[in-house]
Amino acid sequence: MNIIVCKDAAEAAKKAAVIFAAQITEKPASVLGLATGSTPLGLYEELKGMYSAGLLDFSRVKSFNLDEYVGLGENDEQSYRYFMDKNLFEKININPENTYVPNGLAKDIGNECKAYEEKIAAAGGIDLQLLGVGHNGHIAFNEPSDYFLEKTSLFKLNEETIEANSRFFASKDQVPQRSISMGIGSIMAAKKIVIMITGRGKREILSKFINSPVTPQIPVTVLKFHSNVTVIADMEAAEGINF
Ligand code: F6R
């Protein structure tokens, strides 16, 4: 793995933006895998800035988001679709029809999961996948488990994730308990992966990621089996860790 330690989260966002910009410049019809949460916000700010400055063209880009809460629709302010529209898609020239987020209101979730995998395959697979990591090591909504789930599936959020994500909701009991999420196999199929790990709160999981063998109990460790992963951390997360 290629590990980049940046001074702070702002520098980490800039580094990640350079990688995304290079990808889109080299291949204007790139297929991007995108994430929500606090971690990528700085990167999305950078990408919007590059677009406004005329340095990036998203007109041929396609994007697939990692996950969505079951039960939340596009107009729900807590949905990941809403998050992506407001924090990125509406501010750049990506064609909304080329932005894919699992449909949290799908009547037939099994079908939605299958169709999502088919859409990724039809787009030619993901060229560059962005990831954040949960405090418990989850990537997308792949929680610690006894096995790695391959494909886009219905996931149950565990207690720790519900607690962590409750900061975006009025109360903890409003956090949806289930999500549709890309599986470990769908993520590992991406040609390149960038994972951003920033802030003091992520120090312990970054250390486990670097020092533990691959185990589904710490899902992020699976990235060690991928041939093209860049870890972008900041000093707050990386302090004291021997890379
Ligand atoms: C988001 C996602 C999650 C987050 C993770 C970290 O689409 O799939 O795995 O990346 O929970 O979230 P933040 O960045 O808010 O700490």
Side-chain angles (χ1 to χ4, degrees):
M1 293 191 299
N2 177 24
I3 299 170
I4 303 172
V5 178
C6 300
K7 163 167 98 332
D8 52 25
E11 193 184 298
K14 285 195 169 60
K15 283 267 186 260
V18 168
I19 296 173
F20 274 80
Q23 173 67 42
I24 296 164
T25 305
E26 267 167 40
K27 185 181 175 190
S30 283
V31 180
L32 305 180
L34 298 177
T36 55
S38 306
T39 311
L41 283 171
L43 162 64
Y44 294 157
E45 282 302 315
E46 291 293 329
L47 292 177
K48 286 185 277 186
M50 287 175 173
Y51 166 70
S52 304
L55 300 172
L56 269 185
D57 174 16
F58 291 86
S59 61
R60 295 175 61 201
V61 167
K62 287 190 174 146
S63 71
F64 287 88
N65 263 77
L66 287 168
D67 38 25
E68 179 61 281
Y69 289 118
V70 169
L72 301 193
E74 59 185 322
N75 295 324
D76 194 310
E77 292 185 17
Q78 316 298 347
S79 74
Y80 286 172
R81 158 58 76 183
Y82 187 92
F83 175 101
M84 289 309 300
D85 286 348
K86 297 295 163 209
N87 288 299
L88 186 65
F89 299 150
E90 287 177 3
K91 314 280 172 34
I92 58 175
N93 68 334
I94 197 165
N95 178 349
E97 287 180 6
N98 288 339
T99 66
Y100 298 90
V101 180
N103 177 8
L105 296 181
K107 291 254 169 338
D108 183 338
I109 293 178
N111 221 24
E112 173 66 15
C113 294
K114 195 165 159 279
Y116 204 66
E117 288 286 336
E118 286 167 2
K119 283 178 203 157
I120 295 173
I126 292 173
D127 292 304
L128 178 58
Q129 175 69 55
L130 174 67
L131 296 175
V133 65
H135 296 100
N136 62 4
H138 74 212
I139 49 175
F141 273 116
N142 296 266
E143 302 285 19
S145 156
D146 292 336
Y147 51 85
F148 290 119
L149 249 180
E150 275 289 304
K151 303 278 184 211
T152 299
S153 311
L154 175 65
F155 286 79
K156 204 171 162 353
L157 276 63
N158 72 14
E159 208 35 54
E160 209 175 344
T161 300
I162 292 174
E163 182 71 50
N165 290 7
S166 65
R167 68 191 195 278
F168 298 113
F169 292 80
S171 69
K172 196 174 139 188
D173 47 275
Q174 285 183 17
V175 184
Q177 312 244 328
R178 298 181 306 156
S179 70
I180 296 172
S181 168
M182 279 165 59
I184 293 291
S186 342
I187 293 168
M188 291 292 278
K191 296 176 188 89
K192 287 180 244 165
I193 297 177
V194 167
I195 178 161
M196 299 181 73
I197 307 181
T198 54
R200 172 68 188 89
K202 296 286 172 72
R203 193 180 296 168
E204 200 183 325
I205 190 57
L206 176 58
S207 170
K208 284 188 187 160
F209 172 29
I210 299 301
N211 296 310
S212 300
V214 173
T215 165
Q217 296 297 343
I218 312 172
V220 67
T221 57
V222 78
L223 299 182
K224 292 178 177 186
F225 284 155
H226 195 283
S227 61
N228 194 332
V229 174
T230 301
V231 181
I232 304 181
D234 67 354
M235 280 304 293
E236 280 195 12
E239 203 182 301
I241 301 173
N242 287 326
F243 294 101

